[in-house]
């Protein structure tokens, strides 16, 4: 007995029922289960598809697919971090490094003026509003994709979730940031520290919320050969 | 054979070794190959195999290829250049470990 097209559909459904949300992982597990079911049928042709499927599933252990999903998420986060680092490195090469230095010096000079506190406070608010707008945009896109039953790719989820979550984590910090407005100019050390912080934050936000999402399709095709299949 | 803890540490080496001898393999094929080579003595569990494969892929040691086989998509793994180098070093490491274990298990007592 061999696995039919209909069985494959049932196996995809089975993986979804067992908390495998991502299509890339579903595909690998469906093929594994299908191979095992066919092997089980070779030994015992009289058992039903459901029985053979449950036998194959049991081999994944008491936690079912959970270990595989967790490990895959961990591996993909690692991949994302590597991608982030490779983009970040560009900012410390010519000609971008000149822009990085200009930002550092520019912010340092501004923080030393009497408007230092206001500039810091405004910068944080701008970051927050930006994350909020981009985050809401991505969250709506995800909702739309779900409604249209589009395939969910783990790496894509990581790319867009990163932006959505940052906005949420960042919000409570706004209370502390309001204190910045009461401050006038900063000392040399604090000006330098804030200049480094703001410059790094700009680079980070630019890479995670603009560059990587913009190049998402390229990275998804690199990660998943099956992306266009 | 109660070998779950023993093989856990060497699972990566087993995968890399198998892939160094085959141009590409898929997950189920790896489990079956190990079973066949060891006459069923060693069984790679599904819950351990895929996390190991995905980690090797994220570390850049494995590359992936997807093909339509029969009525489904199949994901194949193959060694990258970095993976080939790592295989040699991992094998060396494991061989030295086995040698050390043999010395410990069969000590030549001096009188």
């Amino acid at each position: 007995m061999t696995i039919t097209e209909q069985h494959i559909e049932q196996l995809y459904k089975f993986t979804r029922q067992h908390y495998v949300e991502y299509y890339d992982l579903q595909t690998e597990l469906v093929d594994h289960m299908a191979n095992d079911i066919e092997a089980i049928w070779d030994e015992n042709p009289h058992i039903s598809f459901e029985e053979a499927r449950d036998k194959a599933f049991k081999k994944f252990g008491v936690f079912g697919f959970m270990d595989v999903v967790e490990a895959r998420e961990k591996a993909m986060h690692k991949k994302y971090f590597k991608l982030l680092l490779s983009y970040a490195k560009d900012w410390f090469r010519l000609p971008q490094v000149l822009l990085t230095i200009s930002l550092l010096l520019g912010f340092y000079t501004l923080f030393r003026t009497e408007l230092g506190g206001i500039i810091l406070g405004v910068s944080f608010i701008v970051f927050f509003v930006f994350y909020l707008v981009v985050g809401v945009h991505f969250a709506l896109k995800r909702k739309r994709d779900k409604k249209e039953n589009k395939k969910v790719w783990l790496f894509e989820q990581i790319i867009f979730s990163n932006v959505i979550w940052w906005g949420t984590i960042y919000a409570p910090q706004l209370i502390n940031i309001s204190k910045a407005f009461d401050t006038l100019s900063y000392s040399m050390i604090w000006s330098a520290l804030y200049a480094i912080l703001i410059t790094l934050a700009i680079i980070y936000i630019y890479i995670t919320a603009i560059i990587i999402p913009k190049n998402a399709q390229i990275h998804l095709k690199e990660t998943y050969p099956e992306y266009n299949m | 054979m109660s070998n779950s803890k023993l093989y856990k540490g060497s699972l990566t080496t087993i995968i890399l070794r198998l892939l160094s001898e085959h141009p590409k393999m898929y997950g189920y094929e790896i489990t079956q190959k190990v079973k066949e080579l060891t006459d069923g003595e060693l069984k790679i569990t599904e819950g351990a195999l895929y996390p190991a494969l995905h980690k090797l892929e994220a570390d850049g040691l494995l590359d992936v290829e997807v093909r339509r086989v029969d009525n489904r998509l199949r994901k194949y793994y193959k060694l990258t250049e970095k993976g080939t180098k790592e295989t040699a070093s991992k094998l060396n490491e494991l061989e030295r470990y086995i040698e050390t274990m043999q010395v410990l298990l069969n000590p030549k007592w001096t009188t």
Side-chain angles (χ1 to χ4, degrees), chain A residues 36-94:
Chain A
D36 207 17
I37 291 168
E38 283 176 344
I40 291 167
W41 272 339
D42 279 343
E43 279 178 19
N44 192 352
H46 303 294
I47 65 169
S48 69
F49 167 75
E50 285 75 17
E51 279 173 300
R53 179 200 64 195
D54 292 344
K55 246 180 150 178
F57 182 58
K58 250 186 182 169
K59 294 179 190 168
F60 279 85
V62 280
F63 296 111
F65 298 136
M66 292 304 280
D67 289 341
V68 183
V69 174
E70 266 177 37
R72 182 71 176 161
E73 282 174 344
K74 213 171 141 190
M76 280 294 168
H77 274 105
K78 198 173 177 181
K79 194 181 162 76
Y80 179 79
F81 185 67
K82 277 187 183 171
L83 185 69
L84 185 64
L85 274 186
S86 73
Y87 277 115
K89 275 181 193 161
D90 288 341
W91 280 82
F92 298 95
R93 284 193 194 120
L94 278 169

Side-chain angles (χ1 to χ4, degrees), chain B residues 85-102:
Chain B
K85 282 181 197 156
E86 186 72 13
T87 306
S89 117
K90 283 263 181 199
L91 277 175
N92 203 295
E93 207 176 279
L94 189 63
E95 271 164 18
R96 270 190 286 133
Y97 176 72
I98 293 168
E99 273 171 29
T100 315
M101 284 306 287
Q102 270 170 348

